Amino acid sequence: MIKRSSKQELALINRRNLGLDSVSKNDPGFSCQGMVGEFIGLYLRCEVFATKLQHYYQTDKQPSQTKLNTQSLSKSLEYFNLHFNSESLLLIYKGGSGKRGTKSARQLRNGYLHELSSADKSEIEQRHSEYVKLMKTFLVLRLKTYKAIKT
C-alpha cells in the first residue's frame, strides 16, 4: 500500500474523479443508431469506466494487473467504499457465453458485435431499459473525498 499525505490523497482522488467524469461524459454517439446503438455506446463507456476503476485499485494495492473481471471489480468497489449491487454488477459485466434471456450486457455486446447475432440484438432491444438504467447508474459512481481524510 502506497503511503500518501491527506493532501496528496485528496489531489489523487480529484484527478481520478476527473478521469471517471471524462469517461462517463465521452459519448461515442452510437445512440443515433437507436436502442442497440445506445446500448453499445453505454456499455463501451461502462467498460472503460470499470477498467479505470479497477486500475486505480490495482495501483493502490499493487496486486498483479489483470484484465477487467467481476471479482477484481467488486474488490475495487469495496476498496473505494462504492456501493453497487453485486447482482447488477454481474448483469453488466459477467463474461462467458450465457443463456438466452439471462445474458449480461457484456455477453450481449460480444454476441452482437463479434457474431452479428440477431438473437442478441433482439434481447438488447427487449431488455434495453433495464440495461440502460443499470449502466447509467454505474457511470455516476465517484470516489469519495472522505477517504482522503481517514487516518
Short mmCIF file of all heavy atoms in Angstrom, two decimals, residues 70-111:
data_model
loop_
_atom_site.label_atom_id
_atom_site.label_comp_id
_atom_site.label_asym_id
_atom_site.label_seq_id
_atom_site.Cartn_x
_atom_site.Cartn_y
_atom_site.Cartn_z
N THR A 70 -15.12 -9.46 -12.97
CA THR A 70 -16.08 -9.06 -11.93
C THR A 70 -15.52 -9.19 -10.52
O THR A 70 -15.85 -8.38 -9.67
CB THR A 70 -17.39 -9.86 -12.06
OG1 THR A 70 -17.09 -11.25 -12.03
CG2 THR A 70 -18.13 -9.51 -13.32
N GLN A 71 -14.68 -10.17 -10.29
CA GLN A 71 -14.12 -10.35 -8.94
C GLN A 71 -13.22 -9.17 -8.57
O GLN A 71 -13.36 -8.59 -7.49
CB GLN A 71 -13.34 -11.66 -8.86
CG GLN A 71 -12.84 -11.96 -7.47
CD GLN A 71 -12.13 -13.30 -7.39
OE1 GLN A 71 -11.67 -13.83 -8.40
NE2 GLN A 71 -12.03 -13.84 -6.20
N SER A 72 -12.33 -8.79 -9.46
CA SER A 72 -11.45 -7.67 -9.20
C SER A 72 -12.22 -6.36 -9.15
O SER A 72 -11.94 -5.47 -8.34
CB SER A 72 -10.35 -7.59 -10.26
OG SER A 72 -9.46 -6.55 -9.98
N LEU A 73 -13.22 -6.22 -10.00
CA LEU A 73 -14.05 -5.02 -9.99
C LEU A 73 -14.82 -4.90 -8.68
O LEU A 73 -14.92 -3.81 -8.11
CB LEU A 73 -15.00 -5.02 -11.19
CG LEU A 73 -15.86 -3.78 -11.37
CD1 LEU A 73 -15.02 -2.51 -11.43
CD2 LEU A 73 -16.70 -3.91 -12.64
N SER A 74 -15.33 -6.01 -8.17
CA SER A 74 -16.01 -6.00 -6.87
C SER A 74 -15.07 -5.56 -5.76
O SER A 74 -15.44 -4.77 -4.89
CB SER A 74 -16.57 -7.38 -6.54
OG SER A 74 -17.61 -7.71 -7.41
N LYS A 75 -13.84 -6.06 -5.79
CA LYS A 75 -12.85 -5.66 -4.79
C LYS A 75 -12.52 -4.17 -4.92
O LYS A 75 -12.30 -3.49 -3.92
CB LYS A 75 -11.58 -6.49 -4.94
CG LYS A 75 -11.73 -7.91 -4.47
CD LYS A 75 -10.45 -8.70 -4.64
CE LYS A 75 -10.63 -10.14 -4.25
NZ LYS A 75 -9.41 -10.93 -4.44
N SER A 76 -12.49 -3.68 -6.15
CA SER A 76 -12.23 -2.26 -6.38
C SER A 76 -13.34 -1.41 -5.77
O SER A 76 -13.07 -0.41 -5.10
CB SER A 76 -12.14 -1.96 -7.88
OG SER A 76 -11.16 -2.73 -8.50
N LEU A 77 -14.58 -1.79 -6.01
CA LEU A 77 -15.71 -1.05 -5.45
C LEU A 77 -15.67 -1.07 -3.93
O LEU A 77 -15.88 -0.05 -3.27
CB LEU A 77 -17.03 -1.64 -5.96
CG LEU A 77 -17.33 -1.43 -7.44
CD1 LEU A 77 -18.51 -2.30 -7.87
CD2 LEU A 77 -17.60 0.03 -7.74
N GLU A 78 -15.38 -2.23 -3.38
CA GLU A 78 -15.29 -2.36 -1.92
C GLU A 78 -14.16 -1.49 -1.37
O GLU A 78 -14.33 -0.79 -0.38
CB GLU A 78 -15.06 -3.83 -1.56
CG GLU A 78 -15.03 -4.11 -0.08
CD GLU A 78 -14.80 -5.59 0.21
OE1 GLU A 78 -15.49 -6.42 -0.40
OE2 GLU A 78 -13.93 -5.88 1.05
N TYR A 79 -13.01 -1.53 -2.00
CA TYR A 79 -11.85 -0.75 -1.57
C TYR A 79 -12.16 0.75 -1.53
O TYR A 79 -11.77 1.45 -0.60
CB TYR A 79 -10.67 -1.02 -2.51
CG TYR A 79 -9.46 -0.15 -2.26
CD1 TYR A 79 -8.62 -0.40 -1.17
CD2 TYR A 79 -9.15 0.90 -3.10
CE1 TYR A 79 -7.51 0.40 -0.94
CE2 TYR A 79 -8.04 1.70 -2.88
CZ TYR A 79 -7.23 1.45 -1.80
OH TYR A 79 -6.13 2.23 -1.56
N PHE A 80 -12.86 1.24 -2.54
CA PHE A 80 -13.19 2.67 -2.60
C PHE A 80 -14.51 2.99 -1.90
O PHE A 80 -15.00 4.11 -1.98
CB PHE A 80 -13.24 3.14 -4.06
CG PHE A 80 -11.88 3.20 -4.69
CD1 PHE A 80 -11.57 2.37 -5.75
CD2 PHE A 80 -10.92 4.09 -4.24
CE1 PHE A 80 -10.32 2.42 -6.35
CE2 PHE A 80 -9.66 4.14 -4.82
CZ PHE A 80 -9.36 3.31 -5.88
N ASN A 81 -15.08 2.01 -1.21
CA ASN A 81 -16.33 2.18 -0.47
C ASN A 81 -17.45 2.69 -1.37
O ASN A 81 -18.21 3.58 -1.00
CB ASN A 81 -16.12 3.10 0.73
CG ASN A 81 -17.22 2.96 1.77
OD1 ASN A 81 -17.85 1.91 1.87
ND2 ASN A 81 -17.46 4.02 2.51
N LEU A 82 -17.52 2.12 -2.56
CA LEU A 82 -18.58 2.45 -3.51
C LEU A 82 -19.60 1.33 -3.49
O LEU A 82 -19.24 0.16 -3.46
CB LEU A 82 -18.01 2.62 -4.93
CG LEU A 82 -16.99 3.73 -5.09
CD1 LEU A 82 -16.40 3.71 -6.49
CD2 LEU A 82 -17.62 5.08 -4.79
N HIS A 83 -20.86 1.70 -3.49
CA HIS A 83 -21.92 0.71 -3.37
C HIS A 83 -22.64 0.53 -4.70
O HIS A 83 -23.19 1.48 -5.25
CB HIS A 83 -22.89 1.12 -2.26
CG HIS A 83 -22.21 1.32 -0.95
ND1 HIS A 83 -21.75 0.28 -0.18
CD2 HIS A 83 -21.85 2.45 -0.30
CE1 HIS A 83 -21.17 0.75 0.89
NE2 HIS A 83 -21.21 2.07 0.84
N PHE A 84 -22.57 -0.68 -5.21
CA PHE A 84 -23.28 -1.05 -6.42
C PHE A 84 -23.66 -2.51 -6.25
O PHE A 84 -22.80 -3.36 -5.99
CB PHE A 84 -22.40 -0.84 -7.67
CG PHE A 84 -23.16 -0.87 -8.95
CD1 PHE A 84 -23.90 0.24 -9.35
CD2 PHE A 84 -23.16 -1.99 -9.76
CE1 PHE A 84 -24.62 0.22 -10.53
CE2 PHE A 84 -23.87 -2.02 -10.94
CZ PHE A 84 -24.60 -0.90 -11.33
N ASN A 85 -24.91 -2.80 -6.36
CA ASN A 85 -25.43 -4.14 -6.14
C ASN A 85 -24.62 -5.18 -6.93
O ASN A 85 -24.42 -5.02 -8.13
CB ASN A 85 -26.91 -4.16 -6.56
CG ASN A 85 -27.56 -5.48 -6.33
OD1 ASN A 85 -27.23 -6.47 -6.97
ND2 ASN A 85 -28.50 -5.50 -5.41
N SER A 86 -24.19 -6.24 -6.25
CA SER A 86 -23.35 -7.26 -6.91
C SER A 86 -24.10 -7.99 -8.02
O SER A 86 -23.49 -8.36 -9.03
CB SER A 86 -22.80 -8.26 -5.89
OG SER A 86 -23.85 -8.92 -5.22
N GLU A 87 -25.40 -8.18 -7.88
CA GLU A 87 -26.18 -8.81 -8.95
C GLU A 87 -26.25 -7.90 -10.17
O GLU A 87 -26.19 -8.37 -11.31
CB GLU A 87 -27.59 -9.16 -8.45
CG GLU A 87 -27.59 -10.26 -7.42
CD GLU A 87 -28.90 -10.37 -6.67
OE1 GLU A 87 -29.88 -9.69 -7.04
OE2 GLU A 87 -28.94 -11.14 -5.70
N SER A 88 -26.37 -6.60 -9.93
CA SER A 88 -26.38 -5.63 -11.03
C SER A 88 -25.03 -5.59 -11.72
O SER A 88 -24.95 -5.47 -12.94
CB SER A 88 -26.75 -4.24 -10.51
OG SER A 88 -28.05 -4.23 -9.98
N LEU A 89 -23.97 -5.71 -10.93
CA LEU A 89 -22.62 -5.73 -11.49
C LEU A 89 -22.46 -6.91 -12.44
O LEU A 89 -21.94 -6.76 -13.55
CB LEU A 89 -21.60 -5.79 -10.36
CG LEU A 89 -20.16 -5.47 -10.71
CD1 LEU A 89 -20.02 -3.99 -11.07
CD2 LEU A 89 -19.25 -5.81 -9.54
N LEU A 90 -22.96 -8.07 -12.02
CA LEU A 90 -22.91 -9.26 -12.87
C LEU A 90 -23.79 -9.09 -14.10
O LEU A 90 -23.44 -9.56 -15.18
CB LEU A 90 -23.32 -10.51 -12.09
CG LEU A 90 -22.33 -11.03 -11.07
CD1 LEU A 90 -22.91 -12.19 -10.29
CD2 LEU A 90 -21.02 -11.43 -11.73
N LEU A 91 -24.92 -8.42 -13.95
CA LEU A 91 -25.81 -8.22 -15.08
C LEU A 91 -25.16 -7.35 -16.15
O LEU A 91 -25.46 -7.48 -17.33
CB LEU A 91 -27.13 -7.59 -14.63
CG LEU A 91 -28.25 -7.58 -15.65
CD1 LEU A 91 -28.55 -8.96 -16.20
CD2 LEU A 91 -29.51 -6.98 -15.04
N ILE A 92 -24.22 -6.52 -15.75
CA ILE A 92 -23.49 -5.71 -16.73
C ILE A 92 -22.25 -6.44 -17.24
O ILE A 92 -22.02 -6.54 -18.43
CB ILE A 92 -23.07 -4.35 -16.14
CG1 ILE A 92 -24.29 -3.52 -15.75
CG2 ILE A 92 -22.21 -3.57 -17.14
CD1 ILE A 92 -23.96 -2.24 -15.00
N TYR A 93 -21.42 -6.99 -16.34
CA TYR A 93 -20.07 -7.41 -16.70
C TYR A 93 -19.79 -8.91 -16.76
O TYR A 93 -18.68 -9.30 -17.12
CB TYR A 93 -19.06 -6.78 -15.73
CG TYR A 93 -19.03 -5.29 -15.83
CD1 TYR A 93 -19.59 -4.51 -14.83
CD2 TYR A 93 -18.46 -4.67 -16.92
CE1 TYR A 93 -19.56 -3.12 -14.93
CE2 TYR A 93 -18.43 -3.29 -17.01
CZ TYR A 93 -18.98 -2.53 -16.01
OH TYR A 93 -18.97 -1.17 -16.11
N LYS A 94 -20.72 -9.75 -16.41
CA LYS A 94 -20.45 -11.19 -16.41
C LYS A 94 -19.98 -11.64 -17.79
O LYS A 94 -20.57 -11.32 -18.80
CB LYS A 94 -21.70 -11.96 -16.00
CG LYS A 94 -21.47 -13.45 -15.87
CD LYS A 94 -22.74 -14.14 -15.42
CE LYS A 94 -22.55 -15.63 -15.36
NZ LYS A 94 -23.82 -16.31 -15.08
N GLY A 95 -18.91 -12.42 -17.81
CA GLY A 95 -18.36 -12.91 -19.07
C GLY A 95 -18.91 -14.28 -19.42
O GLY A 95 -19.88 -14.75 -18.84
N GLY A 96 -18.29 -14.93 -20.36
CA GLY A 96 -18.72 -16.25 -20.80
C GLY A 96 -19.79 -16.14 -21.87
O GLY A 96 -20.01 -15.09 -22.45
N SER A 97 -20.48 -17.25 -22.10
CA SER A 97 -21.46 -17.25 -23.18
C SER A 97 -22.86 -16.89 -22.71
O SER A 97 -23.60 -16.21 -23.41
CB SER A 97 -21.47 -18.61 -23.87
OG SER A 97 -21.75 -19.62 -22.93
N GLY A 98 -23.29 -17.34 -21.56
CA GLY A 98 -24.61 -17.01 -21.02
C GLY A 98 -25.74 -17.73 -21.73
O GLY A 98 -25.59 -18.28 -22.81
N LYS A 99 -26.91 -17.70 -21.08
CA LYS A 99 -28.11 -18.35 -21.64
C LYS A 99 -29.07 -17.26 -22.10
O LYS A 99 -29.19 -16.21 -21.51
CB LYS A 99 -28.78 -19.21 -20.59
CG LYS A 99 -27.96 -20.42 -20.19
CD LYS A 99 -28.69 -21.26 -19.17
CE LYS A 99 -27.82 -22.45 -18.77
NZ LYS A 99 -28.47 -23.26 -17.73
N ARG A 100 -29.77 -17.58 -23.16
CA ARG A 100 -30.76 -16.66 -23.73
C ARG A 100 -31.73 -16.19 -22.65
O ARG A 100 -32.19 -16.97 -21.85
CB ARG A 100 -31.52 -17.36 -24.86
CG ARG A 100 -32.46 -16.50 -25.62
CD ARG A 100 -31.84 -15.41 -26.47
NE ARG A 100 -30.73 -15.86 -27.26
CZ ARG A 100 -29.63 -15.09 -27.43
NH1 ARG A 100 -29.54 -13.91 -26.91
NH2 ARG A 100 -28.64 -15.53 -28.17
N GLY A 101 -31.97 -14.90 -22.60
CA GLY A 101 -32.88 -14.32 -21.63
C GLY A 101 -32.24 -13.91 -20.32
O GLY A 101 -32.84 -13.21 -19.52
N THR A 102 -31.00 -14.39 -20.09
CA THR A 102 -30.30 -14.05 -18.85
C THR A 102 -28.89 -13.53 -19.12
O THR A 102 -28.07 -13.49 -18.21
CB THR A 102 -30.21 -15.27 -17.90
OG1 THR A 102 -29.44 -16.30 -18.53
CG2 THR A 102 -31.58 -15.79 -17.53
N LYS A 103 -28.60 -13.17 -20.34
CA LYS A 103 -27.25 -12.72 -20.69
C LYS A 103 -26.95 -11.36 -20.08
O LYS A 103 -27.83 -10.52 -19.94
CB LYS A 103 -27.09 -12.64 -22.21
CG LYS A 103 -26.99 -13.99 -22.89
CD LYS A 103 -26.61 -13.83 -24.33
CE LYS A 103 -26.31 -15.17 -24.97
NZ LYS A 103 -25.73 -15.02 -26.30
N SER A 104 -25.69 -11.17 -19.74
CA SER A 104 -25.24 -9.88 -19.24
C SER A 104 -25.07 -8.91 -20.42
O SER A 104 -25.05 -9.32 -21.58
CB SER A 104 -23.90 -10.03 -18.51
OG SER A 104 -22.87 -10.33 -19.43
N ALA A 105 -24.92 -7.65 -20.10
CA ALA A 105 -24.69 -6.65 -21.14
C ALA A 105 -23.41 -6.99 -21.91
O ALA A 105 -23.35 -6.85 -23.13
CB ALA A 105 -24.59 -5.26 -20.52
N ARG A 106 -22.40 -7.45 -21.20
CA ARG A 106 -21.14 -7.82 -21.84
C ARG A 106 -21.33 -8.97 -22.83
O ARG A 106 -20.80 -8.96 -23.94
CB ARG A 106 -20.13 -8.21 -20.75
CG ARG A 106 -18.76 -8.54 -21.26
CD ARG A 106 -17.89 -8.92 -20.08
NE ARG A 106 -16.48 -8.79 -20.40
CZ ARG A 106 -15.51 -8.88 -19.51
NH1 ARG A 106 -15.80 -9.07 -18.24
NH2 ARG A 106 -14.27 -8.77 -19.88
N GLN A 107 -22.08 -9.99 -22.41
CA GLN A 107 -22.32 -11.14 -23.27
C GLN A 107 -23.12 -10.74 -24.52
O GLN A 107 -22.83 -11.19 -25.62
CB GLN A 107 -23.06 -12.23 -22.49
CG GLN A 107 -22.22 -12.85 -21.40
CD GLN A 107 -23.04 -13.63 -20.39
OE1 GLN A 107 -24.24 -13.41 -20.23
NE2 GLN A 107 -22.37 -14.53 -19.67
N LEU A 108 -24.10 -9.86 -24.32
CA LEU A 108 -24.90 -9.40 -25.46
C LEU A 108 -24.06 -8.54 -26.40
O LEU A 108 -24.16 -8.68 -27.62
CB LEU A 108 -26.12 -8.62 -24.97
CG LEU A 108 -27.18 -9.46 -24.28
CD1 LEU A 108 -28.23 -8.56 -23.63
CD2 LEU A 108 -27.83 -10.42 -25.25
N ARG A 109 -23.25 -7.66 -25.83
CA ARG A 109 -22.37 -6.84 -26.67
C ARG A 109 -21.43 -7.73 -27.48
O ARG A 109 -21.26 -7.54 -28.68
CB ARG A 109 -21.57 -5.87 -25.78
CG ARG A 109 -20.71 -4.82 -26.52
CD ARG A 109 -19.32 -5.24 -26.83
NE ARG A 109 -18.67 -5.94 -25.74
CZ ARG A 109 -17.38 -5.98 -25.56
NH1 ARG A 109 -16.57 -5.35 -26.36
NH2 ARG A 109 -16.85 -6.69 -24.59
N ASN A 110 -20.84 -8.72 -26.84
CA ASN A 110 -19.93 -9.63 -27.54
C ASN A 110 -20.65 -10.38 -28.66
O ASN A 110 -20.16 -10.46 -29.77
CB ASN A 110 -19.30 -10.63 -26.58
CG ASN A 110 -18.25 -10.00 -25.69
OD1 ASN A 110 -17.77 -8.91 -25.96
ND2 ASN A 110 -17.93 -10.67 -24.60
N GLY A 111 -21.81 -10.93 -28.34
CA GLY A 111 -22.56 -11.69 -29.33
C GLY A 111 -22.99 -10.84 -30.51
O GLY A 111 -22.92 -11.28 -31.67
#
